[in-house]
Amino acid sequence: MKLQRKNRLRATALGALAVSGALVLTACGSDNNSGSDTGGTAGATKAASNVKCDGAKGQLRASGSSAQKNAMDLWVKEYMAACSGVEINYNSSSSGEGIVAFNQGTVGFAGSDSALKPEEVADSKKICKTGQGINLPMVGGPIAVGFHLEGVDSLVLDAPTLAKIFDTKIKKWNDEAIAKLNPGAKLPDKAIQAFHRSEDSGTTQNLGKYLSATAPSDWKYEAEKKWPAPGGQGATGSSGVATQVKQVDGSIGYFELSYAASQQITTVDINTGGAAPVKASSENASKAIAAAEVKGTGKDLALDLDYTTKAEGAYPLVLVTYEVVCDTGNKADTLGTVKSFLTYTASADGQKLLTEAGYAPIPEAINAKVRETVAGLS
């Protein structure tokens, strides 16, 4: 698709980011979160006191990306503590299911790890009577490649090797390609059990984009939400993949970093061809996301990520999760709550919470445009 307009937007000073595992919400249990355990203003933080509840009322239903579930858990808790009488119910399913729900008009907004396709934008016009669906980047972060291999505490892989593992071309942990990247490691003669998402997933699509860009000779599949390669084992949601990796010796899988943190799963360092392998961290993901370009037009803020970066310390396997809303034509009974809630999630306080859950805040130059767009929703 030809880009009508590209604006280079780089982050301003981001400050040091850190992952605080103690504040990561667990991914186990129900993925359907309404934050109902926060009740009234009990437990409200200083961040919650800055929430603007103007126009918010009743219940707001939303659904989609499981990669942003832990961020949504934090945001919903803080928001509902500040806005008495308002209920936010985010059903963490998958990006694909979220877009379907949005285009059926059953949710006020959807979470998706991939920007809307042209045909999905066309479908959205039936719901957004006077406008169309747009992408608002709200959550950034690394897609962690987690592994469970008894006796191995650290692992370095590069894009071609990852591609061959997930395409079941490399079948044993002591394969020569893995051994070459990990000199001195005692790699066992054990079968690799690769787990992937069983349902349509934006996380899967972002992994596909990364592998297609960085290992085109070894990953020849289109970057789609549905898992494309033969073999491997499917699991539902990021939490499902993480749970399998946690439990199964010899396993490997991909999921948002907060799932690795909450379940104490060791993650792969990626050899990008730069000076040193790069760890999956909020700070390193921010370095990659900061180079993103806006490829959307009008009010759409879909981003073009550079998966091939070799910048020092930049973790290239990243995703940006979008909140999908109507630019105009939002339902009158939920518009006020949508604007109020997304104003909070895009605020400095809302974005600050992301680092506490293993995510990366959206660079300020981009986030300023998000706030401006949210303010203009109608």
Side-chain angles (χ1 to χ4, degrees):
M1 182 178 68
K2 292 184 177 179
L3 307 182
Q4 297 180 11
R5 178 170 63 89
K6 274 193 174 184
N7 297 323
R8 175 66 71 177
L9 293 172
R10 294 189 178 277
T12 55
L14 290 173
L17 302 177
V19 179
S20 176
L23 292 175
V24 176
L25 297 180
T26 179
C28 299
S30 172
D31 280 349
N32 187 13
N33 175 45
S34 65
S36 58
D37 62 336
T38 60
T41 59
T45 67
K46 181 179 179 181
S49 69
N50 295 325
V51 174
K52 305 298 183 183
C53 304
D54 300 341
K57 60 181 180 180
Q59 183 184 75
L60 173 63
R61 292 170 53 86
S63 70
S65 165
S66 66
Q68 70 172 10
K69 175 189 183 300
N70 293 328
M72 275 292 169
D73 284 347
L74 288 171
W75 282 335
V76 168
K77 178 180 179 180
E78 298 299 326
Y79 182 85
M80 289 178 57
C83 298
S84 178
V86 180
E87 181 180 354
I88 309 294
N89 191 315
Y90 182 81
N91 179 28
S92 171
S93 49
S94 70
S95 297
E97 292 178 47
I99 297 303
V100 169
F102 179 77
N103 281 340
Q104 290 177 342
T106 60
V107 294
F109 70 88
S112 177
D113 307 333
S114 295
L116 292 167
K117 295 180 180 179
E119 59 269 28
E120 292 170 336
V121 173
D123 287 343
S124 74
K125 294 178 180 180
K126 302 172 186 176
I127 299 300
C128 308
K129 300 296 185 182
T130 58
Q132 64 180 44
I134 57 172
N135 305 282
L136 301 178
M138 199 69 71
V139 181
I143 299 175
V145 179
F147 71 97
H148 177 180
L149 190 59
E150 296 296 335
V152 178
D153 297 325
S154 64
L155 191 69
V156 175
L157 296 174
D158 58 13
T161 307
L162 278 171
K164 292 172 186 174
I165 288 173
F166 282 114
D167 199 18
T168 63
K169 296 294 193 299
I170 292 179
K171 302 180 183 295
K172 291 290 189 72
W173 279 109
N174 62 347
D175 187 273
E176 181 180 355
I178 301 176
K180 185 176 180 180
L181 290 163
N182 297 274
K186 296 181 179 180
L187 299 168
D189 182 16
K190 182 184 288 291
I192 296 174
Q193 299 193 55
F195 287 91
H196 58 260
R197 293 283 290 274
S198 58
E199 78 283 19
D200 285 3
S201 160
T203 310
T204 294
Q205 188 171 38
N206 279 276
L207 174 66
K209 289 178 180 178
Y210 166 73
L211 294 176
S212 295
T214 55
S217 297
D218 299 296
W219 190 260
K220 299 183 180 299
Y221 305 102
E222 292 293 326
E224 298 291 347
K225 293 178 181 177
K226 184 177 181 62
W227 181 254
Q233 302 177 59
T236 303
S238 292
S239 60
V241 175
T243 297
Q244 291 299 316
V245 172
K246 176 71 172 179
Q247 294 175 348
V248 179
D249 184 23
S251 62
I252 189 169
Y254 59 93
F255 31 78
E256 199 280 326
L257 180 61
S258 66
Y259 291 93
S262 64
Q263 299 202 41
Q264 297 182 317
I265 297 170
T266 308
T267 60
V268 168
D269 297 345
I270 293 183
N271 183 339
T272 64
V278 185
K279 293 185 178 297
S281 72
S282 296
E283 181 179 7
N284 293 342
S286 289
K287 292 176 182 177
I289 295 172
E293 298 176 348
V294 173
K295 66 178 181 180
T297 59
K299 295 182 179 179
D300 184 77
L301 299 177
L303 300 179
D304 189 12
L305 299 170
D306 180 9
Y307 297 102
T308 63
T309 180
K310 293 180 174 60
E312 183 178 357
Y315 184 83
L317 181 46
V318 295
L319 63 76
V320 169
T321 288
Y322 301 95
E323 311 311 340
V324 176
V325 296
C326 297
D327 54 357
T328 63
N330 289 277
K331 293 182 179 179
D333 58 342
T334 57
L335 174 60
T337 309
V338 167
K339 292 179 69 171
S340 172
F341 181 65
L342 296 185
T343 295
Y344 167 61
T345 63
S347 70
D349 288 332
Q351 289 290 298
K352 184 178 179 181
L353 284 179
L354 294 180
T355 64
E356 300 172 355
Y359 296 94
I362 299 299
E364 176 56 28
I366 298 172
N367 201 37
K369 289 184 173 294
V370 173
R371 293 193 293 267
E372 179 183 351
T373 302
V374 170
L377 298 179
S378 62

